[in-house]
Each structure stands twice: as C-alpha cells, then as structure tokens.
Amino acid sequence: MSINHCVQNKKESFKKALKYIPDIILSDVIMPDEDGITLCKKLKEDMRTSHIPIILLTALADQKSKIEGLAAGADAIVLDVTTGSGAFMQKYKDALKLGKRNSTTYSIAATIIHGVIFSGIQLYEYNTAPFSINDSVYGSIFYMTTGFHGIHVLVGTIFLIVCLIRHIDYQFFKKHHVGFVCAI
C-alpha cells in the first residue's frame, strides 16, 4: 500500500519525514519558506532520514543549482518537464534562424519527447488520483483544467511532430518558418 504525503514548506516537510520515514522524497528546489536544497541537507544530516533517497525537482536549469543539490546529498536533480519544453522551443527557433540544422532537429525532437512524457505523467496522475470528478468542486476543477491543458499539450505535440517532419523534409529555412511559428 502506498501513502503519499504532500506538504507546502520545509518545516512541515522535515516533520513529516521524521514522523513517517518515507521510502523516497520528491521535493521542489523552490519552496515558500526555504529552498529544497536546505531541506535536503538537513534530511541527509539527520541519522533517522539520511538513508532516504531524495530527488529534487527544479525549473532552474543552471549548473550551479544542480551542483548545490548534489552537494547537499540529493540522489538526483530533475529538470521540471513543464518548463523544459519552453527552453527547447526557444533553442529551436534560435538554431533555425542561425541555420544550425542538427541543433534544430535535436531541439524539436526533445520538445516532442517532453510533450509525450508530460502526457504520460498526466495520464498516470488521472489513474492514481485519490478523488474523482464527482467527489467535490476540487475534483471537478482539477479534471476540467488539467483536461484542457492535456488537450493543449496533445495538440501541440501533434503540431510539433508535423513540424519535425517538415523540417526533416527541408521545408523550413532561416526566413521561411511560418508553419513552425504558428505551431508554437
């Protein structure tokens, strides 16, 4: 049986980790009261929680944040998939304008992979949510908003697959890529 505990700040996170001794901890680097790196360090320094694997989730793609997280004892640093696709799209546009074909192909393929991963995570979330659309206002709003966003991601992924095919077929150039701009 799996029990999930969601907390909103470092103080509450540390207390729950001591109370429940979880199998794994997934924490955001950016939290309201202190950062996840400080929480990670505190958990790793305490003998009761030092054995628990900690995965830090971050929207910060800089090397400094990754090094700090690993130095604090994190077992992994994961770039948040919801922000990563925007960075890839910007890289794609820049590479296309500079005529860097391989970089352009890589960036759009990475963005498609992000879309597929995000859709898979959302499907998993739907299947494992402890509530349904009938349970409450929260359930209704959750399924409605995430459903619309899920459709947006699926349609966007399809558009990007078409763009990748067109790119491979040499239909996009430095000054001729309106189809791609419309897709994003």
Side-chain angles (χ1 to χ4, degrees):
M1 183 165 113
S2 173
I3 300 172
N4 300 315
H5 299 280
C6 183
V7 293
Q8 299 297 319
N9 58 52
K10 186 189 83 133
K11 191 175 184 181
E12 189 180 346
S13 300
F14 189 72
K15 284 181 183 178
K16 279 206 176 182
L18 290 176
K19 182 177 179 181
Y20 296 106
I21 308 294
D23 295 325
I24 191 167
I25 294 174
L26 178 65
S27 174
D28 201 335
V29 169
I30 301 169
M31 292 193 290
D33 58 348
E34 262 189 273
D35 60 61
I37 293 171
T38 307
L39 170 66
C40 178
K41 188 174 183 179
K42 190 172 179 181
L43 288 166
K44 289 297 184 176
E45 288 173 351
D46 191 301
M47 289 301 294
R48 297 168 289 181
T49 56
S50 62
H51 67 284
I52 301 170
I54 299 174
I55 299 172
L56 294 176
L57 184 68
T58 182
L60 307 170
D62 65 322
Q63 202 65 15
K64 182 183 173 208
S65 297
K66 293 176 186 175
I67 291 169
E68 285 178 4
L70 293 172
D75 295 278
I77 309 286
V78 178
L79 183 64
D80 185 358
V81 293
T82 60
T83 59
S85 61
F88 282 121
M89 293 308 293
Q90 186 59 48
K91 185 175 180 181
Y92 174 79
K93 283 175 61 176
D94 294 343
L96 184 63
K97 288 179 182 179
L98 294 172
K100 296 181 178 179
R101 186 161 173 73
N102 288 339
S103 184
T104 304
T105 304
Y106 162 76
S107 296
I108 194 164
T111 307
I112 291 168
I113 291 168
H114 265 92
V116 171
I117 289 170
F118 181 83
S119 297
I121 290 170
Q122 191 167 23
L123 182 63
Y124 173 78
E125 184 179 36
Y126 273 18
N127 290 331
T128 59
F131 50 85
S132 72
I133 197 166
N134 301 342
D135 284 344
S136 65
V137 172
Y138 175 78
S140 301
I141 292 172
F142 171 81
Y143 283 102
M144 289 293 292
T145 56
T146 57
F148 283 127
H149 186 249
I151 290 169
H152 160 78
V153 171
L154 287 173
V155 170
T157 303
I158 292 167
F159 274 118
L160 291 173
I161 290 169
V162 170
C163 285
L164 179 61
I165 292 167
R166 290 186 65 202
H167 172 69
I168 290 170
D169 197 33
Y170 292 93
Q171 294 181 17
F172 290 137
F173 306 101
K174 291 179 191 180
K175 295 186 180 194
H176 178 77
H177 52 272
V178 174
F180 168 71
V181 173
C182 291
I184 59 170

